[in-house]
């Protein structure tokens, strides 16, 4: 919901349009983009993409730090298009989350999913399979 307002594809496309005057040579200008494309451009050294990755990391860090402080998990696994951004966003997230968490949450780890773009499909299939296998009448 609210996080998607800042880090979704449409939100990032709007942000790119607002920043277009400062980054006239970016390959991201003038079209709708997804986080995966921004990650590829950031890896290639595009300054607009790098700025966007940092902004996404900032918003995600706020959400993750709040979750760490509330639930105190040992691990957070990020998936979907974030996997394409990889270490570029992961290192930034870790740097931003650590000072915003309580002492007990500081040991928590943030990692990227190894499932990549298949994570949603695998998760949905797993839920369906669990439902079927847990019902002996089926």
């Amino acid at each position: 919901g609210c996080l998607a307002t800042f880090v979704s594809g449409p939100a990032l496309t709007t942000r790119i349009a607002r920043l277009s005057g400062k980054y006239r040579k970016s390959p991201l200008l003038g079209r709708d983009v997804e986080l995966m494309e921004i990650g590829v451009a950031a890896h290639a050294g595009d300054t607009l993409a790098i700025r966007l990755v940092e902004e996404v990391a900032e918003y995600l860090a706020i959400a993750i730090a709040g979750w760490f402080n509330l639930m105190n998990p040992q691990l957070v696994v990020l998936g979907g298009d974030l996997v394409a951004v990889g270490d570029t966003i992961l290192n930034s997230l870790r740097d931003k989350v650590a000072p915003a968490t309580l002492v007990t949450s500081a040991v928590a780890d943030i990692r990227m999913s190894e499932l990549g773009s298949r994570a949603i499909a695998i998760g949905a299939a797993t839920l369906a399979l669990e439902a079927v296998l847990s019902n002996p009448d089926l």
Side-chain angles (χ1 to χ4, degrees):
C2 295
L3 189 57
T5 303
F6 299 104
V7 300
S8 67
L12 293 172
T13 298
T14 300
R15 186 72 178 130
I16 289 169
R18 288 187 184 140
L19 294 171
S20 63
K22 294 180 182 181
Y23 302 92
R24 297 186 190 276
K25 295 181 181 181
S26 175
L28 301 174
L29 298 177
R31 59 193 181 85
D32 291 344
V33 297
E34 296 294 329
L35 189 55
M36 188 179 309
E37 295 174 83
I38 294 170
V40 170
H43 283 297
D46 180 61
T47 53
L48 173 57
I50 292 168
R51 178 173 178 172
L52 292 170
V53 167
E54 283 298 314
E55 289 180 7
V56 167
E58 186 70 36
Y59 290 120
L60 287 174
I62 292 167
I64 292 170
W67 193 59
F68 277 172
N69 290 332
L70 181 65
M71 302 298 291
N72 197 21
Q74 292 182 343
L75 174 67
V76 169
V77 179
L78 302 173
D81 290 345
L82 283 173
V83 174
V85 184
D87 288 341
T88 305
I89 199 165
L90 197 54
N91 294 331
S92 182
L93 268 174
R94 288 177 178 149
D95 291 344
K96 293 174 186 331
V97 167
T101 58
L102 301 172
V103 175
T104 58
S105 298
V107 296
D109 191 16
I110 304 170
R111 296 185 195 162
M112 288 295 175
S113 169
E114 295 177 8
L115 300 176
S117 61
R118 300 174 300 155
I120 295 171
I122 291 171
T126 301
L127 286 175
L129 196 56
E130 281 181 359
V132 169
L133 294 177
S134 67
N135 187 344
D137 294 335
L138 293 177

